Amino acid sequence: MSERPTSTRVLSHLGVMVVVSAVLGVLVAGLAIPFAGVVGVSARNVADTMDNLPEELETEQLSQRSTILDVDGNVLATLYDQNRVEVPLTQVSRKMVKAIVAVEDARFYQHGALDLQGTIRAFITNTAQSGTVQGGSSITQQLVKQTLVNQAATDEERAAATDDTYARKLKELRYAVALEQNHTKDWILERYLNIAYFGDGAYGIQSAAKHFFNTNASKLNVLQSATLAGLVRNPEGYDPTDNPERALQRRNVVLQRMNDVGILNSKRVERLQSKPLKLDVQKFSNGCVFSAAPFFCDYVIQWLLKDDALGKNKKERRSLLNTGGLTIRTTLDLDYQRGADAAVRDRVYPRDNAIGALAMVEPGTGDVRALAQSRPMGADKAAGQTYLNYTVPKKYGDSGGFQPGSTFKAFVLAAAVEQGIPLNTQIAAPQTRTFQQNEFKVCNGQNFSNPADYPVSNSTGEGTFNLYTGTQKSVNTFYIELSQRVGLCKPFTLAKQMGIVGLKGKEGADRWMVPSFALGVASVSPLEMAEAYATFAERGLHCTSRPVTSIEDMAGNTLKEYPTKCRQVMQNSTADAVNDVLRGVIEPGGFASSWQLDSPAAGKTGTTQDGKSVWFVGYTPTMAAAAMIAGANQSGTPISLTGQTVGPNYISSASGSGFAAPIWGTAMRNVMGELPNEDFVAPDASDVAGVPTTVPSVAGLGVEGATRQLEDAGFVVSYGGYVNSGYAEGLVAYSSPGGGAVVPSSSSITLYQSNGRPPKPPKTNNNGGNNNGNGNGRGNGRGNGRGNNR
């Protein structure tokens, strides 16, 4: 037997009746005054309160999840604050519409903002029972509440939106009236279904349908519709993934309610209530961790967060990415990504004290096709996980990069060719040599400021090499001598123009324009190196790395396009010559010859002298890739690779050819079926042998003037010491080859200075007519004419 209501409960009951009647009196003439008079509440006071509320509820755009797609339209990742995909009412199953209306507001299409019957019944029952026994809010009122909660910007606003007071209910009533006046019933129901939270992270009917049943909202059947309709009242309590029994009971309540209002007959309801939930739960990951290309995904996000067009600050841009319902179309190719992942995974393990990484960039577009690294994305350091992206520049991945070793020699090689130095130029390269740092030229035409000695040694032998063999063998003393001839400015500038972004110091100074530049002392990322070498592949056309091609808004309209950004940074012929030289690294006799491909390829090894990192950067005419293994403990601190076991291999002596080249070769072989079989353009003969050039006559000139004249003509000047000559002491006696000789440009011309002592005339004999003439000829030639003849 139920308990008899107490006097307190009766008074409370009457108070509620007064407020409800007063409110209804404002909305429906004639109902308020009698009840208001019972306890002295003025209907005018209630009306004044209503008049002081805003007349309209501003409904903002709902937060929707954004989707990152690969180049073929496959989903790489989703980004959201609320996992929601808006759909129009026409794309919601009619069974779902009937189920939600039946259980939440059966008279929705008959009443206005307030269901008088339902509200009075609910208020009376709930107040009399001191709890929430019945729900009386209309769908319009529920939409108002959810809108206020959804649009609350602070904790105070969220608390006010859910505060269990009559003042809040009055406010909701006023907003509900405004919604009914300004929008159709279908609009209100559509927004309600899109804003509602269905539990387990699913916002809106489309996400709920996908999450719980792996179907679209338009395909929901009766059982699925009844299940979802039952969740709205208490998403956590009825969550079928946590509370399947309660969810089943709630679903059956909805089915019974559909019978009560005449949608389903009793026999069908009884049959349906005996069936299980039949969930097909689909997990929606938020962010990049579970993406097929997590570090490329992270690169995309960081890249877009730096785009001023997407918001005036980083917070606005992130909000747009997480709530804007964007479709982000990227350049990643999953076939390339899988090939890159496999190549790295097989050679470097997550828990190794080393990081393996690879980047693949398409020449001619800059499109980033794959980014792979050995340490998975995550927070579990014991499992080798990290959030640091080692494949991209620091501004996008927070890793400081690693020294690239001799891969930087390619920039010196390109600068030498650009300056007209022939590929067959011979340079003596001893095993060790000490250079004077202040003999290297920098960009302002002055010498490098540090006068200290710079000792350089080879790990690959000594001898006399040309640009082919010196590169193939990666001879250090050869390349430092070549750097001295070329100067530091041009290689440094070329590297920057080709995509190496970390060459400047904190205050913008050219920190790495140093004599050791060719040996790769600056720290870089695999993406930078792949981008740079792609410039060679595209015959000198540099294209900035591009991870995104376009962004579309939630309606499918193009919000922004990202075209290629390319410019010519060297002559076609320069790149052709570089390509011809770098082919030798992969072809027989080169360090990486065991990783030849089925189509023409070129590349360069890199190994730091302390063994902390090894590299191989290589390319075909249509794809460039940079592979790296760097010693690093689990905190990312660089350490030596020597003496470590990395992947399946023990490293007794670190080398780019032995450890990085296999990653590159495996990745490239994995995608060879995707690449066209093209060849490089052969270099011009003049780049190989030099342009035939006449040596100017400089005999009798001062050394400085003679040197300037020869260098202006494209020659390299060296000095042979003092000789006897009729010229004044210190002037040039002659050159070798001499003035008037035709030799290849960039040939070495040796100057000999006069000591001021004319050569002695040759001895004569009794038959000396001819000999005298010969002697005079020799004397004149030696003293005055040798510079013109050699």
Side-chain angles (χ1 to χ4, degrees):
M1 183 175 181
S2 61
E3 180 183 353
R4 182 185 181 94
T6 63
S7 57
T8 302
R9 183 172 294 178
V10 170
L11 288 175
S12 176
H13 168 82
L14 290 173
V16 171
M17 288 292 294
V18 168
V19 174
V20 171
S21 300
V23 173
L24 297 180
V26 175
L27 303 175
V28 183
L31 292 180
I33 301 302
F35 286 101
V38 173
V39 291
V41 177
S42 168
R44 180 175 297 279
N45 290 341
V46 176
D48 289 343
T49 300
M50 294 287 284
D51 288 338
N52 290 333
L53 292 173
E55 293 185 359
E56 290 187 27
L57 174 62
E58 187 174 329
T59 54
E60 299 174 357
Q61 177 63 54
L62 292 177
S63 171
Q64 295 192 62
R65 75 166 182 253
S66 294
T67 305
I68 301 176
L69 305 178
D70 77 348
V71 71
D72 294 318
N74 301 304
V75 176
L76 290 177
T78 53
L79 313 173
Y80 54 83
D81 287 342
Q82 296 179 348
N83 182 19
R84 176 186 290 108
V85 177
E86 271 195 84
V87 290
L89 194 61
T90 55
Q91 291 183 23
V92 179
S93 162
R94 295 306 300 168
K95 299 178 181 67
M96 181 65 214
V97 172
K98 291 178 180 180
I100 196 72
V101 171
V103 73
E104 290 299 328
D105 189 356
R107 299 180 61 253
F108 173 68
Y109 281 98
Q110 283 77 49
H111 63 68
L114 182 69
D115 180 5
L116 304 184
Q117 296 177 18
T119 300
I120 293 174
R121 181 182 67 249
F123 269 119
I124 292 173
T125 303
N126 293 341
T127 304
Q129 297 299 322
S130 298
T132 303
V133 178
Q134 296 183 13
S137 296
S138 68
I139 283 178
T140 308
Q141 290 174 278
Q142 292 182 53
L143 174 59
V144 169
K145 181 177 180 179
Q146 293 195 48
T147 299
L148 292 173
V149 171
N150 196 63
Q151 294 177 183
T154 64
D155 291 340
E156 290 76 13
E157 290 178 357
R158 276 184 284 275
T162 56
D163 191 21
D164 190 18
T165 64
Y166 293 119
R168 177 185 64 78
K169 295 181 184 295
L170 285 174
K171 183 178 181 180
E172 286 181 4
L173 270 177
R174 180 54 180 263
Y175 283 143
V177 171
L179 284 179
E180 292 274 354
Q181 290 174 340
N182 295 321
H183 300 285
T184 66
K185 286 286 189 178
D186 282 352
W187 184 95
I188 292 171
L189 183 58
E190 176 184 302
R191 187 166 177 93
Y192 174 77
L193 285 167
N194 280 306
I195 200 174
Y197 179 53
F198 289 85
D200 204 28
Y203 289 82
I205 187 59
Q206 174 62 22
S207 289
K210 270 291 183 185
H211 176 61
F212 291 111
F213 297 109
N214 193 25
T215 189
N216 290 317
S218 61
K219 303 295 183 182
L220 289 166
N221 61 33
V222 173
L223 283 175
Q224 293 166 340
S225 298
T227 302
L228 296 182
L231 301 180
V232 175
R233 181 66 59 84
N234 186 354
E236 278 92 15
Y238 296 134
D239 183 347
T241 62
D242 290 334
N243 302 296
E245 291 183 0
R246 291 194 67 193
L248 184 65
Q249 293 171 359
R250 178 62 178 167
R251 183 205 68 182
N252 290 343
V253 168
V254 176
L255 290 171
Q256 183 58 52
R257 182 61 180 160
M258 294 175 76
N259 171 247
D260 294 342
V261 298
I263 297 172
L264 300 175
N265 62 50
S266 298
K267 287 186 177 180
R268 189 179 182 195
V269 167
E270 186 176 346
R271 187 172 67 254
L272 290 172
Q273 287 178 331
S274 67
K275 294 184 179 295
L277 289 174
K278 292 185 178 179
L279 299 177
D280 184 7
V281 177
Q282 304 296 307
K283 291 295 183 182
F284 282 94
S285 59
N286 185 11
C288 299
V289 172
F290 298 104
S291 170
F295 289 101
F296 177 85
C297 169
D298 183 69
Y299 170 47
V300 166
I301 293 171
Q302 298 305 319
W303 193 78
L304 291 174
L305 287 176
K306 289 175 172 56
D307 184 357
D308 294 341
L310 301 183
K312 61 185 179 182
N313 54 49
K314 191 173 182 179
K315 182 179 179 180
E316 278 193 9
R317 296 166 208 151
R318 190 178 294 279
S319 176
L320 176 63
L321 294 181
N322 290 341
T323 68
L326 307 177
T327 297
I328 302 166
R329 300 191 180 276
T330 75
T331 59
L332 182 121
D333 188 312
L334 278 176
D335 289 335
Y336 287 68
Q337 183 64 43
R338 284 188 282 265
D341 284 335
V344 174
R345 184 173 56 246
D346 290 347
R347 296 284 173 170
V348 188
Y349 301 153
R351 297 180 184 178
D352 289 343
N353 280 324
I355 296 160
L358 181 120
M360 303 183 83
V361 175
E362 183 177 84
T365 64
D367 288 349
V368 182
R369 294 302 187 200
L371 294 176
Q373 71 179 46
S374 58
R375 292 184 181 175
M377 181 175 284
D380 188 353
K381 287 188 177 181
Q385 296 178 354
T386 182
Y387 285 107
L388 290 178
N389 190 344
Y390 291 99
T391 64
V392 297
K394 185 175 182 179
K395 66 184 292 189
Y396 300 121
D398 290 332
S399 166
F402 298 92
Q403 291 181 329
S406 293
T407 58
F408 262 39
K409 288 174 181 172
F411 303 124
V412 177
L413 172 63
V417 176
E418 193 88 339
Q419 291 183 9
I421 295 178
L423 301 180
N424 64 2
T425 299
Q426 300 282 319
I427 297 178
Q431 182 65 27
T432 61
R433 180 179 169 186
T434 298
F435 294 84
Q436 298 301 313
Q437 293 195 67
N438 59 4
E439 293 180 359
F440 290 78
K441 297 287 186 182
V442 293
C443 284
N444 56 13
Q446 297 179 350
N447 290 346
F448 188 71
S449 58
N450 189 340
D453 290 348
Y454 174 36
V456 180
S457 62
N458 298 328
S459 60
T460 55
E462 61 182 337
T464 299
F465 304 89
N466 60 29
L467 273 64
Y468 282 101
T469 56
T471 303
Q472 189 180 50
K473 299 300 182 183
S474 197
V475 183
N476 290 341
T477 54
F478 175 94
Y479 259 93
I480 299 303
E481 167 65 24
L482 186 62
S483 297
Q484 193 172 47
R485 296 186 183 189
V486 169
L488 301 177
C489 183
K490 185 60 176 179
F492 181 89
T493 302
L494 264 180
K496 289 196 297 182
Q497 292 173 336
M498 294 168 68
I500 307 301
V501 298
L503 294 178
K504 287 188 175 295
K506 293 182 179 179
E507 298 179 359
D510 294 332
R511 177 184 178 190
W512 297 113
M513 193 188 299
V514 293
S516 57
F517 176 83
L519 304 187
V521 291
S523 293
V524 297
S525 66
L527 181 60
E528 291 170 82
M529 294 306 298
E531 176 183 324
Y533 274 53
T535 307
F536 296 134
E538 194 59 24
R539 305 188 68 206
L541 182 71
H542 170 255
C543 298
T544 303
S545 293
R546 177 177 68 156
V548 178
T549 57
S550 67
I551 297 178
E552 297 166 10
D553 64 19
M554 62 188 68
N557 302 310
T558 300
L559 186 64
K560 184 174 182 182
E561 291 185 337
Y562 294 90
T564 58
K565 294 183 178 179
C566 303
R567 74 184 185 102
Q568 198 76 27
V569 297
M570 69 183 74
Q571 300 176 61
N572 293 152
S573 59
T574 297
D576 295 340
V578 171
N579 296 338
D580 201 51
V581 172
L582 295 185
R583 289 180 71 157
V585 177
I586 297 177
E587 293 174 348
F591 285 146
S593 59
S594 59
W595 291 101
Q596 282 184 274
L597 306 179
D598 293 335
S599 63
K604 184 68 188 75
T605 56
T607 306
T608 59
Q609 290 186 329
D610 55 10
K612 289 182 178 179
S613 59
V614 294
W615 292 72
F616 188 83
V617 189
Y619 55 97
T620 70
T622 58
M623 184 55 54
M628 174 203 77
I629 301 176
N633 60 26
Q634 292 301 316
S635 299
T637 303
I639 59 177
S640 177
L641 291 168
T642 303
Q644 292 195 54
T645 297
V646 176
N649 301 307
Y650 176 76
I651 300 178
S652 59
S653 178
S655 69
S657 58
F659 299 96
I663 294 177
W664 177 87
T666 301
M668 292 295 283
R669 288 175 181 177
N670 286 342
V671 300
M672 282 310 295
E674 308 278 338
L675 300 174
N677 190 349
E678 296 183 12
D679 200 353
F680 298 105
V681 176
D684 189 278
S686 64
D687 289 321
V688 177
V691 177
T693 306
T694 301
V695 179
S697 175
V698 293
L701 299 179
V703 172
E704 185 176 343
T707 299
R708 184 167 52 251
Q709 193 174 129
L710 289 167
E711 288 180 343
D712 288 345
F715 297 107
V716 176
V717 179
S718 61
Y719 304 97
Y722 287 83
V723 296
N724 292 336
S725 169
Y727 288 112
E729 183 179 359
L731 298 181
V732 174
Y734 59 89
S735 67
S736 178
V742 178
V743 297
S745 59
S746 295
S747 295
S748 180
I749 307 296
T750 304
L751 294 180
Y752 294 88
Q753 291 176 266
S754 172
N755 59 15
R757 296 191 296 270
K760 294 179 179 180
K763 293 181 179 180
T764 61
N765 56 35
N766 294 329
N767 300 319
N770 290 332
N771 288 333
N772 285 339
N774 194 26
N776 289 335
R778 287 190 64 188
N780 289 335
R782 183 72 170 174
N784 297 322
R786 184 165 182 173
N788 295 326
N789 295 328
R790 295 201 177 188

